[in-house]
Amino acid sequence: MTAPFYAKIDSTLARSVKTSKNFHPEFSFPDADVVLRSIEGTLYRIHSYTLRTTSGLFDTMFSLPQPPRCKIEARDQNKSGSVGRDEDPEEIPIYEPDFVLERLLRLICSIPIPSWESFDDVDRVLTTAEKWDTPGPIASIRVALTCPKLLTPDPLRLYVLAKHFDWKEEAKLAATQTLKLNLHDPMYTPTLARLSSKDLLSLLNLHRKRRDMFKRLLDSPERFAAGNSSPYHCTRCGVTQLDNHSWREFKNAMYAEIDRRPLGDTLGVTVGHSADWPEAKACWEAKCADEECGGLNYDRIATLRQIRNCIDVLPSTIED
């Protein structure tokens, strides 16, 4: 008479242990046959079919011969006619934190994901997605990478990822955004070290070409006649030859600036940035040496407009 009573207690305790397990609420499908465990101990119960069809890693793993324990359990289930849903399958340890595992499983299962907060989060999930060989989630992450929230703060890291995955359009977009960076700054050395020699040279060549081409344009007599033509006489009196020392100093300052920030957005402006440089003020205040004339050596507005024109024709991204 006591056996059924104790059997009922054992059954109740087993159900209690099962329900006490820390299953993720979004991934606790009752009919699923795979349980993944994160490094924090959270359990994710998911269908093996979903993993096999979305992940090359799991497709290979589930295709391997089963260990003896799995074969015995499968035989016992066939004999009893039960699928064993009261018992959870053996847990598979996944050495990833909950954030990475949850976000990747959401992508695999087509469950909406929260917006990405940082490039670090994207990088962590993308690294695991590549290890798992999941083309679907990788494609979804690729679309999100070019949003301003991720692209603007760290374009160099996007360039590294784009080159790693051979994403040509994203690589070009990221290369353009890196023009606001000084790649010679030691803070970028670790990121640049992740690039192959070929991809690093492509990026460095873009920055160098902009700098060198800008210098050639600044030295052009056709674009800046008053500063680069020799001799060039005062446009007001037509007699005094101009002393272009101030223009040369201003050119050197602009050359150094575009080497530091190849984007060139700080040059050719009327307010702030280069407009406040001592070299710029000295250039715009330079006058004819003839005191009776006193005409300005350079047309400030026309010269600034020509500087902007020079920047606009510079190469803006890497070559294929």
Side-chain angles (χ1 to χ4, degrees), residues 276-294:
D276 296 330
W277 294 349
E279 295 88 348
K281 293 180 179 180
C283 184
W284 309 136
E285 294 172 358
K287 297 180 179 181
C288 177
D290 187 347
E291 295 182 358
E292 295 183 359
C293 174

Side-chain angles (χ1 to χ4, degrees), residues 5-291:
F5 174 74
Y6 286 113
K8 184 176 181 180
I9 292 178
D10 290 341
S11 177
T12 302
L13 288 174
R15 287 196 300 269
S16 175
V17 170
K18 179 180 177 181
T19 54
S20 65
K21 289 185 177 181
N22 183 26
F23 281 97
H24 192 286
E26 293 284 353
F27 300 96
S28 57
F29 307 111
D31 58 341
D33 56 345
V34 173
V35 175
L36 307 179
R37 185 180 72 246
S38 71
I39 58 176
E40 284 98 343
T42 305
L43 301 179
Y44 299 79
R45 190 159 48 197
I46 189 171
H47 297 89
S48 60
Y49 176 80
T50 302
L51 293 174
R52 293 188 67 164
T53 55
T54 58
S55 167
L57 173 66
F58 282 100
D59 184 37
T60 301
M61 185 175 71
F62 293 147
S63 300
L64 296 174
Q66 295 182 3
R69 175 181 175 183
C70 296
K71 292 182 178 180
I72 294 173
E73 290 178 350
R75 184 176 67 246
D76 292 343
Q77 289 176 5
N78 291 334
K79 288 181 178 179
S80 64
S82 170
V83 295
R85 287 181 183 172
D86 290 337
E87 297 295 333
D88 288 323
E90 185 176 359
E91 298 169 6
I92 300 176
I94 303 295
Y95 300 100
E96 299 290 349
D98 279 327
F99 174 83
V100 173
L101 189 53
E102 177 193 349
R103 189 63 65 99
L104 183 53
L105 289 177
R106 282 178 175 272
L107 290 169
I108 286 175
C109 297
S110 298
I111 298 175
I113 64 172
S115 61
W116 298 98
E117 294 299 325
S118 70
F119 210 103
D120 286 333
D121 292 345
V122 175
D123 203 2
R124 291 161 60 199
V125 177
L126 191 56
T127 299
T128 304
E130 185 182 20
K131 288 192 296 185
W132 285 19
D133 187 14
T134 55
I138 290 175
S140 298
I141 295 173
R142 178 182 182 181
V143 173
L145 282 175
T146 54
C147 71
K149 186 176 183 180
L150 298 177
L151 173 62
T152 304
D154 207 342
L156 187 56
R157 288 181 66 182
L158 173 56
Y159 180 78
V160 172
L161 282 180
K163 281 299 185 180
H164 175 74
F165 288 99
D166 196 25
W167 296 338
K168 292 182 171 56
E169 293 303 318
E170 287 80 0
K172 287 185 175 182
L173 178 61
T176 299
Q177 293 295 318
T178 66
L179 294 176
K180 62 185 179 183
L181 307 178
N182 179 9
L183 298 183
H184 302 293
D185 192 317
M187 67 180 293
Y188 299 118
T189 300
T191 306
L192 293 172
R194 297 170 57 187
L195 289 168
S196 68
S197 299
K198 177 183 176 182
D199 297 332
L200 176 59
L201 284 175
S202 293
L203 190 62
L204 293 178
N205 282 339
L206 170 63
H207 287 231
R208 178 184 56 79
K209 285 179 180 179
R210 286 181 64 91
R211 180 199 65 190
D212 294 348
M213 184 175 176
F214 183 65
K215 185 178 187 303
R216 289 196 300 270
L217 294 174
L218 283 182
D219 291 337
S220 169
E222 289 76 20
R223 288 181 176 269
F224 302 97
N228 297 327
S229 299
S230 181
Y232 192 87
H233 297 86
C234 173
T235 56
R236 185 173 181 179
C237 68
V239 176
T240 307
Q241 183 174 334
L242 297 187
D243 177 6
N244 288 320
H245 173 75
S246 59
W247 169 246
R248 289 192 296 271
E249 292 296 320
F250 186 34
K251 284 196 301 181
N252 290 336
M254 288 190 287
Y255 179 73
E257 175 67 6
I258 205 165
D259 185 46
R260 183 190 69 84
R261 187 180 174 89
L263 184 60
D265 56 332
T266 57
L267 302 175
V269 295
T270 57
V271 179
H273 299 296
S274 60
D276 296 330
W277 294 349
E279 295 88 348
K281 293 180 179 180
C283 184
W284 309 136
E285 294 172 358
K287 297 180 179 181
C288 177
D290 187 347
E291 295 182 358

